[in-house]
Amino acid sequence: EKEVPSEDNTLNRRGQQYVGKICEVVVPFKNGKGKIKIEDTLWTAIGPNKLDKGESVRVVGLDGTRIKVEVVK
């Protein structure tokens, strides 16, 4: 059985290069989910339960096509 490459592989590789990057919340986090901007792209992100627009977060990993973030202290 041949393995078919999926879109997710490229997204994961692209997302992986952002680990450690500091970026800004552009859609406030509610229930641990929001949107962040990295360079000129909006990403769905998961992390702290509540974050306000404009807060700084650090990319710590990936969960499928979503980026995991933590608050920059």
Side-chain angles (χ1 to χ4, degrees):
E1 188 176 313
K2 239 176 154 181
E3 198 176 310
V4 179
S6 75
E7 285 288 313
D8 282 351
N9 288 342
T10 56
L11 278 174
N12 282 346
R13 276 199 304 276
R14 184 172 170 208
Q16 206 64 51
Q17 76 190 22
Y18 297 134
V19 170
K21 224 182 215 333
I22 306 240
C23 46
E24 187 181 328
V25 174
V26 289
V27 174
F29 276 54
K30 197 174 157 191
N31 299 323
K33 198 170 157 194
K35 291 199 184 275
I36 58 170
K37 188 170 191 172
I38 301 176
E39 292 161 359
D40 59 354
T41 307
L42 281 185
W43 291 82
T44 298
I46 54 174
N49 209 27
K50 189 177 180 299
L51 287 171
D52 295 321
K53 182 176 179 176
E55 284 195 64
S56 291
V57 292
R58 178 182 292 109
V59 176
V60 292
L62 296 172
D63 178 14
T65 58
R66 298 177 303 183
I67 300 226
K68 289 187 203 174
V69 297
E70 67 181 13
V71 176
V72 176
K73 293 187 172 43

